[in-house]
Amino acid sequence: MLLSQALDIVHKFTPQEFSALSELLSPELIDECLADTGVVTLRKRRLSMEMMVWAVTGMALFRSHSMTQLVSHLDILLPGKRPFVAPSAVVQARQRLGEDAMRLMFEKTQQLWFEKTPLSHWNGLTLMAVDGTIWRTPDTPENDAAFGRTANVTQCSEWPQVRMVCQMEVTSHLLSAVAFTSVSESGEADLAAQLVEKTPDHSLTFFDKGFYALGLLHYWQSTGTERHWMLPLRKGAQYQVVRKIGSGQALVELRLSPQSKKKWSGAPDTLTARLISKEVKGKTVQILTSMCDPLRYPKADIVELYSHRWEIEHGFREMKQHLLNNELTLRSKKPALIRQELWGVVLAYNLLRFMMAQMAYSLKGIEPYQMSFKQSALYLRSQLSLLPGVAPGKLPRIMEEILDMASSFVLPDRRERHYPRAVKKRPQRYPLRPHSKS
């Protein structure tokens, strides 16, 4: 049975739910997040804290606008004598807002949008993926001290960088949890451990080889109910076969190193997992998973299932290339504002992805990941920019028009690759200046 046939697609969507989109970032929700983080507008300013939540989200939605243009574009200024606001006032307002309010906005809206989205399942499991990415920050002394740079024996990064690890539901591309820190402070596995508590029960999480840490995998599956994982077997990994359970599959025992047991509290001496081997286009693929029941989780589906891990890679591309218009360096000059900006980016991405999910589920047999993010985002951003001036009574009609456009954003079937995968070096107009480590 193909994966597309095995997915349990549940269509519980009605256009009436979509017409309430404007309420998901309602003033009441924003006020709740501000109150929880102790952020309040003590006196009437031209830029209130409630308005600044929209402004930080708009930094990602409308990347080509400067902050002063953005404030005017979203019409978030309070009435006053001057039709504009000084750039320094925007920075000061962002500093008063802080990062915790934006983090809480992401967490609360993530929960609301997941509840309103009819997610697909495989054998009763929600399909999740975890992976990491790097964000560039402006080259300021504050960012350099706070975030550090990646380096090797020959060269160092030109920019301070932030390491981010995300958890994504692969059929809707909705982000369920995010953690980020300095590239010099923690690795991806350490950040992934921060996502365990936010992982839903009865789920299957895909990892790549970079997360091959037996202590992390044990922690993942032992927290909660049926929190399964799957990743490729690392090259050279040592294991002992406990017993064969069919052609090309066996239960294996992997031994944790003393360093791993010391790092991961409560980790056992060994970890039992299911190893599946399959020939794919002349190559042997070996997948390791915590789903040890071959009757409930058939081998034929599992190798194909792992290919959906690439959906989170597509998600990172959507955020960096299409949402941020390929402007890969973040805007903010201060570390606290960098973190605030990143929460705005993931909030804006989820906002667009939630709207796309509702559009997809209004069509028959279409999953959200089958829709073009680039074209959908261009259209939805244009509609979002009009909402501040739209009368509430007209919102249902606008949302119906958005749904009517859904079919035009469905991607065609992917063609088979006929050339080798490779990354080509981008031509440089100017010579690169070597970075000094001093």
Side-chain angles (χ1 to χ4, degrees):
M1 180 170 57
L2 296 177
L3 175 63
S4 58
Q5 298 170 326
L7 285 173
D8 176 24
I9 303 175
V10 184
H11 292 284
K12 298 179 181 178
F13 167 76
T14 60
Q16 287 74 22
E17 292 178 4
F18 195 40
S19 66
L21 171 66
S22 60
E23 300 175 4
L24 295 181
L25 286 181
S26 64
E28 293 78 14
L29 179 60
I30 294 175
D31 288 342
E32 181 183 340
C33 294
L34 294 177
D36 288 348
T37 54
V39 178
V40 292
T41 302
L42 298 178
R43 60 185 175 88
K44 279 295 180 184
R45 303 176 184 266
R46 299 213 67 205
L47 283 170
S48 67
M49 294 298 95
E50 295 82 359
M51 303 298 189
M52 286 309 299
V53 171
W54 268 109
V56 175
T57 307
M59 289 172 63
L61 288 174
F62 306 101
R63 180 67 168 175
S64 59
H65 290 61
S66 68
M67 283 302 296
T68 50
Q69 291 174 328
L70 183 64
V71 167
S72 301
H73 183 68
L74 293 179
D75 194 23
I76 62 176
L77 278 177
L78 293 177
K81 294 181 180 180
R82 294 179 299 174
F84 59 89
V85 64
S88 59
V90 178
V91 176
Q92 292 169 8
R94 288 186 59 199
Q95 290 173 337
R96 291 195 302 273
L97 177 64
E99 60 182 276
D100 288 339
M102 293 304 301
R103 173 188 56 79
L104 200 57
M105 278 296 299
F106 168 78
E107 292 174 352
K108 287 183 178 292
T109 53
Q110 173 274 129
Q111 184 177 0
L112 283 171
W113 294 339
F114 263 79
E115 291 174 356
K116 286 183 172 287
T117 303
L119 303 175
S120 297
H121 297 81
W122 178 79
N123 286 342
L125 302 177
T126 304
L127 301 180
M128 314 294 292
V130 167
D131 206 354
T133 188
I134 297 292
W135 294 90
R136 292 192 325 214
T137 74
D139 191 359
T140 64
E142 295 91 339
N143 287 341
D144 195 13
F147 301 125
R149 306 169 189 248
T150 55
N152 56 32
V153 293
T154 60
Q155 59 183 0
C156 181
S157 169
E158 297 289 335
W159 309 87
Q161 296 167 312
V162 180
R163 189 188 310 280
M164 174 187 280
V165 171
C166 298
Q167 185 181 68
M168 173 186 286
E169 198 281 325
V170 300
T171 62
S172 67
H173 282 211
L174 282 172
L175 298 174
S176 60
V178 173
F180 48 83
T181 188
S182 161
V183 292
S184 58
E185 183 176 322
S186 298
E188 290 184 342
D190 298 317
L191 286 177
Q194 299 179 27
L195 310 183
V196 173
E197 296 295 335
K198 300 174 184 177
T199 301
D201 290 336
H202 309 289
S203 63
L204 169 61
T205 302
F206 306 123
F207 296 97
D208 68 12
K209 292 181 180 180
F211 293 88
Y212 190 93
L214 299 182
L216 170 65
L217 299 178
H218 172 264
Y219 179 40
W220 201 277
Q221 72 183 60
S222 61
T223 306
T225 305
E226 283 196 318
R227 297 185 184 181
H228 291 294
W229 50 263
M230 181 189 299
L231 81 172
L233 182 68
R234 189 174 63 185
K235 185 177 181 180
Q238 300 295 315
Y239 59 87
Q240 181 178 356
V241 176
V242 177
R243 61 184 174 90
K244 295 281 187 179
I245 55 176
S247 175
Q249 52 182 332
L251 288 181
V252 298
E253 192 175 78
L254 303 110
R255 184 166 295 279
L256 278 72
S257 66
Q259 296 83 356
S260 181
K261 288 192 292 183
K262 182 178 179 180
K263 179 178 180 179
W264 301 94
S265 178
D269 293 334
T270 59
L271 181 67
T272 300
R274 179 180 173 196
L275 179 62
I276 298 174
S277 302
K278 185 177 179 180
E279 291 289 331
V280 178
K281 296 182 179 179
K283 295 183 178 180
T284 300
V285 177
Q286 290 185 299
I287 299 294
L288 201 64
T289 179
S290 62
M291 300 183 296
C292 295
D293 187 348
L295 298 179
R296 182 176 176 184
Y297 308 114
K299 170 194 172 184
D301 290 341
I302 286 181
V303 176
E304 181 190 357
L305 191 67
Y306 184 75
S307 66
H308 279 243
R309 189 201 70 81
W310 284 98
E311 294 301 327
I312 193 169
E313 302 282 6
H314 297 326
F316 290 145
R317 183 185 65 184
E318 291 164 356
M319 278 188 270
K320 292 185 174 183
Q321 294 186 7
H322 304 318
L323 182 61
L324 301 186
N325 296 333
N326 220 20
E327 297 180 18
L328 302 181
T329 304
L330 300 173
R331 299 189 188 198
S332 306
K333 305 294 191 296
K334 304 282 187 180
L337 297 185
I338 284 289
R339 292 188 286 267
Q340 180 194 76
E341 183 179 351
L342 282 175
W343 286 118
V345 169
V346 293
L347 174 59
Y349 179 75
N350 262 10
L351 173 62
L352 293 177
R353 267 296 170 185
F354 172 75
M355 297 177 75
M356 289 176 61
Q358 308 310 305
M359 292 168 68
Y361 288 131
S362 69
L363 304 173
K364 185 177 181 180
I366 298 297
E367 291 280 357
Y369 70 86
Q370 295 174 290
M371 301 190 67
S372 167
F373 180 85
K374 180 179 180 180
Q375 299 303 321
S376 300
L378 287 172
Y379 175 71
L380 291 173
R381 281 185 289 192
S382 68
Q383 296 299 315
L384 284 172
S385 65
L386 299 175
L387 287 183
V390 174
K394 295 183 179 179
L395 281 176
R397 179 178 59 82
I398 291 178
M399 296 308 175
E400 288 179 5
E401 292 176 357
I402 291 176
L403 293 178
D404 291 339
M405 290 292 294
S407 59
S408 63
F409 302 131
V410 177
L411 291 167
D413 293 336
R414 181 171 296 177
R415 296 171 296 180
E416 286 292 328
R417 180 179 295 276
H418 61 277
Y419 51 88
R421 183 185 297 277
V423 176
K424 296 184 179 180
K425 186 177 180 180
R426 179 177 296 179
Q428 300 289 337
R429 179 180 295 182
Y430 306 107
L432 297 178
R433 181 182 63 187
H435 178 77
S436 174
K437 293 186 178 181
S438 60

